[in-house]
Amino acid sequence: MTKFTQELVNGLTQGGLYALVALGYSMVYGVLKLLNFAHGDLYMVGAFVGYFVLQWFGGPTALAVPVPIVLLAMFLLAGGGVGALGVAIERFAYRPLRDAPRIAPLITALGVSFLLENTMLLLFGASYRDYNTSAFISFSTGIHIGALNIDIVRIMVIVLSVALMIGLRLLVSRTQLGRQMRAVASDREAAEMLGINVDYTISATFFLGSALAGIAGVMAGLVFNQIYTLMGFIIGLKAFTAAVVGGIGSIPGAMLGGFLIGIAEAFITGYVSSTYTNLIVFGILIAFMILRPSGLLGRVQLQKV
Amino acid sequence: MAVEPRDSPSVGVDEWVARSLERREYLPGWRGDVQRALEQVGWWPRLVVATAVGVFIPVVIGLNSFQTQVGIDALLLAILALGLNVSVGWAGLLDLGYVAFYGFGAYGYALLSSNQLNPPGGIHWPAYFSIPLVMIGAAILGLLVGLPSRRLIGDYLAIVTLFFGEAFVEFTNNVAPSKLGGPNGIFALDPLHGAHVQITTPTGYFLVLLGLLVVSMAVLHMLDTSRMGRAWRAVREDPLAASAMTVPVNRVKLMAFAFGAMIAAMAGTIFAAQQTSVFPTDFDTPYLILIYAGLILGGAGSMSGAVLGGLLVSIVLDGFLRSPTQSSYIFYGVILVTLCVKLRPWTRVAFVVGGTIVFGFVMHAIVAAFSSSAVAGTSGAHSWIDLHWAIVPANPVTFGNICFVALLCLVVALVQVPGRWRTMLLIPTLYVAACAWEARLSQVPATTRLLLLGAILIVVMAWRPSGLLGARRVEIV
Amino acid sequence: MATAANRPAGVNGLLKLDEITTYYGQMRILEAISLEVGSGELVCLLGGNASGKSTTLKTVLGIVRPRSGRVLLAGEDVTSWPVPQRIANGIAIVPENRRLFGDMTVRENLELGAVLGDGGTFAEDLGRVHELFPRLHERRNQLAGTLSGGEQQMVAMGRALMSRPRLLLMDEPSMGLSPALVQQNFRIIKEVHESGVSVLMVEQNATMALSIADRGYVLSTGQIVLEGPAPELLKSEDLKRAYLGR
């Protein structure tokens, strides 16, 4: 039972990260119908921003200010910085391609991904960097019942990711900006015909989605400690899958998909085999996609006849 | 009453279609004439000329071993792009697992031409037997992978096939290491052999690949102009309408997958034979991106586009960007050509280039006056850029990094600012680009070539979303 | 025939297209189109498939930019204005096929019609639309995609009217509707027009459109081949020729 709970917590932590990244994928897909392959790399950039903020405050072992302030600064700067980066990428790379054939922005996204990864590689090298979280957040704080250890960082990650998702959900369903985002997602030209500022709406969407990825990057640094320039690819793939499993374009779907994949992975690693985790997960996903292509919460698309 | 209608085509002929040629706009002046003249040349003569050039280069001119290897890689990529064009360009099925068929071909050949299976003697079948067998196997695998396309379209199909591609890499890495070799791959493969002929020289492989490329193009061209080709395009444009016209949509889609897979597997066998080893990482996503880059840059849907794009991407990336000196030629050359093409009139080009040169000398002089060590470094490319121009400090890494980040910011800014300011801003941008290049980028070709690939993809897509030779589609409203 | 003398008064008013030429890529879609809509007029733009009707409307709204020519709104050159600015200055469109946001409620659709307003007149505008289409008030919380065709057309009209337009662009209002609904639809258009909104309507159903219009233009492969007061066009042999070829 302890092992079960432990794996569940691991799954929820990983799943929260997948879900946050998946949300950005899903939102961007919603407004642009674009698989933004560069999204996973934004997560990586966020992890690096968080790392350098941590260093700027004196490094994990000699923090000059209280830990909560450091964490807040890490999240805010990573979120804001990566959000701004997302906006810049959209304006520079994707905006000229609004009316191009579908495959062109896809290739641009691959190009952006290459550019981001290799820029970071050029600037910071290929070596791993260490958040060394336990040096400033004691592992002993948290929940400890018998052999079960749930440290405070994991709790924070789970709570924060759920809170962010709820906030995003409210933003999209209740505010004027959210309405505009939905309008642009469902029919961009019709939205433009009503005078909705489509460029602004898309920029805002990119900002939000990218900021979530940046924050997820910091969380990943805090939980797993090690960050490196190629960490974005595989999570990008999994998060995209999470978005698809949940039903792409659907915000609750992305959350559900993220948590499900995270938990499934944790249990496969814990109970079956860590060598075959990816192979099994890919197999399940292929089967799932074939059986239910519209995802768990996605609406089946009616073909216009 | 108002204007008289022009002479209309007879009733029953769609006027828009009948007149579409009149409305086509050609480039002005002689370039328009060239455009029209080229449109007159038939497909087969073009193929013959291209083949002759392909044979002429290694046989008559001669290539050194490095150049031959670049040529082999380029031909491989061209064949792969050609195969990918069948499913992506013609049938409109986004297949992100394509590289796995290439891997399947290579591993298939490896298993049938080494000691891996049936030890200790192994299997050593002749190529005329093993290659067709592997291709048939790939076609069957293509059919299986294509099965989801009966239900899935667009991005969903893309993601399922991407998983298939990833699963292939995971599979070769982890499953049955004694047979598939795991991450260490399979070694000591036979070269291409059969009927008392054995191909061992790189030039031999070059010619084999060229032959296969030409044959594939000929076969695909015949397919393209047959019922099947029309069916593919019909399915791409509108599956529903196609099925209403009695096109068997699902079968047509599966055929596209199978044909693409066969061609990829064929390329894979030659790749394995030439390099006499295979590794899982040869068939990972980065190579897939390269194939897509070739296809899309050349223009999806156009066969010559796919081949040209594949050749171009591979030659630039493997041929020129590996050595600092040659990559410098490419770097400055591309900048100059872009300026000449994009800036009008030529006085503006002259202004920008002249301004950049002057700006460089002034900056260099100012910096040198403050600190001599700040300009003490030697240019990484040892190129013909005068060292009194670009700033290269004694310890260039940090400075180069800063220049590179500044360059990215300036380029983004350049897109945002209006006309005249853009010309002004271009001067420091170009100078910063040169400094970043000399101080840092030319020193790390492995990273730089991927950076440049990313940049080229973004720029070409923004400039010509349908690729260099792809036809732009016009929606009629 | 169509000289300045027999046009209704006030024709030199609201909208004027001056020698508009538009390309999509290498293809020329519009060729030196000139047309006018006076304030208070209902003008229809007729033509067969791919004759450039929708492109003309999109040029007026600013979604498509002409390669040459000018768009004048109440005498002001708006050719370089972005779409939102034009809408704020009194243009609104009911797009072809209505283009509702199907997974949003009727009320959300109407709110998006008033997206440029500051909210101050929102309640009043909503009241006006509900008065014109009481059905929309009943269905305010229903998803727009689940409405019947006629109701959807009402939402599309109401959405366009939320921004208090001076000039309403209608793109093929009869498309995809049953004959009875087409009748009803044209009654609504006439009603909206009589409440003081100028209308530029694109239609394929020439007889129907001309029966409520003041004037009409006929487009053929990107050129205006015929223009004149609606009653004259209705009788004209040239209209048939323009549609059918010769």
Side-chain angles (χ1 to χ4, degrees):
Chain A
M1 194 59 208
T2 307
K3 182 173 184 192
F4 180 84
T5 319
Q6 194 78 56
E7 295 298 351
L8 185 67
V9 170
N10 287 344
L12 283 173
T13 317
Q14 183 71 67
L17 298 183
Y18 286 160
L20 285 180
V21 181
L23 280 175
Y25 255 122
S26 209
M27 289 163 71
V28 166
Y29 187 90
V31 292
L32 284 189
K33 305 284 172 286
L34 159 72
L35 298 185
N36 184 11
F37 282 111
H39 198 68
D41 297 304
L42 291 172
Y43 158 92
M44 173 270 293
V45 174
F48 273 85
V49 173
Y51 175 79
F52 287 111
V53 172
L54 188 64
Q55 298 303 317
W56 189 72
F57 278 111
T61 49
L63 283 179
V65 283
V67 172
I69 295 179
V70 176
L71 287 178
L72 191 69
M74 284 162 76
F75 283 128
L76 283 181
L77 286 173
V82 174
L85 180 63
V87 172
I89 289 172
E90 190 274 323
R91 291 200 75 144
F92 181 74
Y94 301 142
R95 191 167 296 176
L97 295 172
R98 291 273 171 81
D99 301 314
R102 286 283 305 281
I103 196 161
L106 207 67
I107 299 301
T108 301
L110 293 174
V112 171
S113 168
F114 264 44
L115 203 61
L116 280 177
E117 278 174 18
N118 289 289
T119 301
M120 296 302 275
L121 200 63
L122 185 79
L123 300 182
F124 306 116
S127 58
Y128 285 62
R129 279 155 202 267
D130 199 339
Y131 264 58
N132 198 2
T133 314
S134 56
F136 61 100
I137 303 176
S138 166
F139 186 70
S140 56
T141 47
I143 302 168
H144 301 277
I145 308 160
L148 177 69
N149 294 302
I150 307 173
D151 63 296
I152 185 87
V153 176
R154 278 167 198 271
I155 296 172
M156 183 183 74
V157 165
I158 296 169
V159 170
L160 185 60
S161 51
V162 170
L164 283 172
M165 290 171 214
I166 293 172
L168 187 71
R169 174 93 177 123
L170 289 177
L171 179 96
V172 169
S173 62
R174 298 284 163 81
T175 64
Q176 179 75 0
L177 177 64
R179 252 196 310 276
Q180 291 185 20
M181 280 162 59
R182 282 185 289 150
V184 171
S186 94
D187 186 341
R188 189 196 310 153
E189 202 183 35
E192 196 182 356
M193 286 175 173
L194 294 179
I196 291 173
N197 190 334
V198 174
D199 288 343
Y200 169 78
T201 310
I202 291 177
S203 289
T205 311
F206 263 86
F207 183 86
L208 288 172
S210 309
L212 291 178
I215 291 172
V218 176
M219 290 179 179
L222 290 172
V223 177
F224 307 118
N225 286 318
Q226 290 199 318
I227 61 170
Y228 54 103
T229 49
L230 294 179
M231 66 193 276
F233 175 73
I234 197 78
I235 192 170
L237 193 63
K238 300 256 179 73
F240 175 70
T241 316
V244 173
V245 165
I248 194 146
S250 149
I251 289 178
M255 301 185 220
L256 187 65
F259 280 119
L260 277 181
I261 291 186
I263 292 169
E265 259 185 26
F267 283 125
I268 294 171
T269 311
Y271 288 100
V272 187
S273 143
S274 60
T275 322
Y276 295 125
T277 307
N278 278 340
L279 206 53
I280 295 173
V281 171
F282 289 150
I284 294 175
L285 291 172
I286 291 178
F288 179 86
M289 290 297 307
I290 294 169
L291 295 177
R292 201 176 153 79
S294 55
L296 291 171
L297 301 184
R299 212 164 294 140
V300 180
Q301 277 188 348
L302 290 179
Q303 233 176 358
K304 194 174 73 177
V305 181
Chain B
M1 190 169 222
V3 196
E4 275 294 300
R6 280 191 294 199
D7 287 342
S8 308
S10 50
V11 173
V13 176
D14 189 296
E15 213 179 340
W16 208 95
V17 175
R19 288 232 170 105
S20 68
L21 270 184
E22 283 174 31
R23 299 156 148 258
R24 206 176 126 84
E25 192 193 27
Y26 286 94
L27 290 169
W30 62 272
R31 288 179 299 164
D33 295 336
V34 172
Q35 228 180 341
R36 281 190 199 93
L38 281 181
E39 279 173 13
Q40 301 297 317
V41 182
W43 192 86
W44 292 102
R46 287 191 213 181
L47 182 68
V48 171
V49 170
T51 315
V53 171
V55 177
F56 185 76
I57 290 173
V59 175
V60 181
I61 299 180
L63 298 170
N64 64 31
S65 63
F66 173 72
Q67 288 163 338
T68 311
Q69 187 58 47
V70 169
I72 289 171
D73 293 343
L75 286 170
L76 276 172
L77 199 65
I79 294 177
L80 286 169
L82 194 64
L84 186 61
N85 182 44
V86 176
S87 55
V88 176
W90 287 347
L93 302 165
L94 202 51
D95 177 3
L96 293 181
Y98 181 71
V99 72
F101 297 122
Y102 179 52
F104 177 85
Y107 267 87
Y109 180 85
L111 292 175
L112 297 180
S113 316
S114 68
N115 295 332
Q116 276 322 104
L117 297 182
N118 190 24
I123 303 176
H124 299 275
W125 287 344
Y128 57 76
F129 192 61
S130 63
I131 293 181
L133 194 70
V134 169
M135 283 171 69
I136 292 168
I140 294 169
L141 187 65
L143 288 178
L144 288 178
V145 175
L147 277 180
S149 74
R150 296 164 66 92
R151 293 193 50 181
L152 299 173
I153 44 169
D155 303 320
Y156 294 98
L157 183 64
I159 203 72
V160 168
T161 49
L162 183 60
F163 285 138
F164 167 69
E166 287 296 310
F168 179 81
V169 176
E170 291 278 334
F171 188 87
T172 47
N173 253 323
N174 293 319
V175 176
S178 63
K179 301 285 181 217
L180 296 177
N184 297 324
I186 303 174
F187 288 96
L189 311 183
D190 308 337
L192 278 188
H193 65 99
H196 308 296
V197 185
Q198 191 168 2
I199 297 170
T200 45
T201 62
T203 310
Y205 280 100
F206 184 99
L207 292 176
V208 166
L209 282 168
L210 185 68
L212 289 176
L213 176 65
V214 171
V215 169
S216 315
M217 282 186 81
V219 170
L220 287 179
H221 178 71
M222 288 191 278
L223 259 180
D224 185 32
T225 47
S226 72
R227 281 170 70 97
M228 183 57 93
R230 286 191 294 277
W232 275 331
R233 270 167 294 166
V235 168
R236 176 187 72 195
E237 296 300 331
D238 190 339
L240 195 69
S243 71
M245 296 294 112
T246 70
V247 173
V249 172
N250 285 331
R251 208 164 70 207
V252 164
K253 284 180 178 174
L254 290 181
M255 289 303 282
F257 265 98
F259 267 100
M262 255 166 75
I263 292 176
M266 180 181 80
T269 57
I270 310 294
F271 168 76
Q274 199 258 328
Q275 127 171 317
T276 66
S277 59
V278 289
F279 306 99
T281 45
D282 289 335
F283 315 107
D284 210 347
T285 320
Y287 197 70
L288 174 76
I289 293 173
L290 223 55
I291 305 173
Y292 264 89
L295 175 65
I296 305 299
L297 289 183
S302 147
M303 248 186 351
S304 40
V307 171
L308 215 63
L311 292 176
L312 208 67
V313 165
S314 184
I315 291 175
V316 168
L317 220 58
D318 293 329
F320 294 116
L321 293 183
R322 282 200 195 278
S323 95
T325 322
Q326 279 177 336
S327 58
S328 288
Y329 283 112
I330 292 275
F331 182 75
Y332 292 112
V334 164
I335 287 179
L336 268 179
V337 169
T338 315
L339 286 179
C340 292
V341 171
K342 290 305 261 187
L343 282 187
R344 293 280 153 73
W346 66 269
T347 45
R348 258 175 89 199
V349 183
F351 173 74
V352 169
V353 173
T356 312
I357 293 172
V358 174
F359 185 80
F361 283 118
V362 172
M363 287 303 286
H364 191 276
I366 292 174
V367 174
F370 280 101
S371 151
S372 59
S373 75
V375 290
T378 49
S379 157
H382 309 294
S383 64
W384 22 266
I385 293 285
D386 181 12
L387 289 182
H388 290 293
W389 184 65
I391 298 172
V392 181
N395 180 11
V397 173
T398 313
F399 175 76
N401 283 348
I402 292 171
C403 278
F404 183 69
V405 174
L407 173 64
L408 291 183
C409 297
L410 279 170
V411 168
V412 173
L414 214 53
V415 180
Q416 308 300 327
V417 297
R420 183 180 301 166
W421 290 104
R422 191 177 294 178
T423 316
M424 299 303 291
L425 197 57
L426 209 51
I427 292 172
T429 309
L430 289 177
Y431 184 64
V432 167
C435 287
W437 181 264
E438 296 299 331
R440 185 87 178 100
L441 292 175
S442 59
Q443 319 268 15
V444 279
T447 308
T448 302
R449 54 198 282 270
L450 295 179
L451 269 176
L452 285 183
L453 176 65
I456 290 171
L457 286 179
I458 296 171
V459 171
V460 172
M461 283 298 104
W463 172 49
R464 266 193 89 103
S466 48
L468 298 173
L469 295 184
R472 285 187 225 193
R473 280 195 235 158
V474 179
E475 261 179 66
I476 305 166
V477 181
Chain C
M1 266 169 117
T3 55
N6 57 16
R7 283 182 199 162
V11 108
N12 297 321
L14 200 50
L15 174 78
K16 188 168 153 77
L17 295 190
D18 187 15
E19 300 278 311
I20 292 284
T21 301
T22 303
Y23 279 77
Y24 283 174
Q26 290 184 311
M27 284 295 169
R28 190 167 59 230
I29 308 294
L30 295 180
E31 206 174 328
I33 297 278
S34 294
L35 61 80
E36 284 180 39
V37 181
S39 38
E41 259 196 317
L42 198 168
V43 175
C44 65
L45 187 58
L46 307 169
N49 288 325
S51 57
K53 303 181 305 280
S54 295
T55 308
T56 310
L57 287 194
K58 285 180 186 170
T59 311
V60 174
L61 197 63
I63 288 180
V64 172
R65 290 293 160 95
R67 190 170 287 187
S68 67
R70 293 185 307 157
V71 182
L72 300 168
L73 182 63
E76 209 170 347
D77 189 344
V78 302
T79 319
S80 59
W81 286 16
V83 183
Q85 199 180 352
R86 297 190 198 201
I87 291 173
N89 275 276
I91 301 182
I93 190 169
V94 180
E96 192 175 345
N97 288 326
R98 305 180 283 276
R99 304 286 279 268
L100 297 185
F101 303 113
D103 45 8
M104 295 195 193
T105 64
V106 169
R107 185 175 157 119
E108 279 178 321
N109 268 282
L110 293 180
E111 278 173 355
L112 283 167
V115 76
L116 290 173
D118 55 5
T121 58
F122 177 76
E124 190 189 321
D125 292 331
L126 192 64
R128 203 160 37 81
V129 169
H130 281 164
E131 203 174 305
L132 196 58
F133 308 108
R135 215 17 138 21
L136 299 189
H137 184 63
E138 291 167 31
R139 303 263 160 138
R140 62 188 177 279
N141 289 325
Q142 197 170 330
L143 292 186
T146 61
L147 299 178
S148 73
E151 288 166 335
Q152 289 193 7
Q153 185 67 31
M154 290 180 198
V155 179
M157 292 278 284
R159 191 175 64 175
L161 291 174
M162 286 299 288
S163 65
R164 304 191 157 195
R166 290 189 279 174
L167 172 66
L168 187 63
L169 308 174
M170 305 268 327
D171 199 347
E172 308 242 359
S174 71
M175 181 179 270
L177 295 180
S178 70
L181 277 174
V182 173
Q183 293 277 0
Q184 182 198 354
N185 208 355
F186 275 80
R187 262 202 311 281
I188 295 171
I189 295 169
K190 209 165 158 52
E191 204 173 311
V192 169
H193 171 231
E194 276 158 9
S195 75
V197 181
S198 310
V199 179
L200 175 58
M201 173 169 62
V202 153
E203 249 309 330
Q204 297 221 26
N205 186 341
T207 327
M208 196 80 209
L210 286 171
S211 69
I212 64 165
D214 297 321
R215 287 190 307 118
Y217 294 85
V218 180
L219 267 178
S220 172
T221 52
Q223 290 179 305
I224 288 189
V225 292
L226 215 55
E227 61 177 294
E232 284 178 32
L233 278 183
L234 260 179
K235 285 180 289 185
S236 155
E237 283 296 313
D238 289 341
L239 179 66
K240 283 176 201 154
R241 259 204 303 168
Y243 261 83
L244 298 176
R246 42 180 85 185

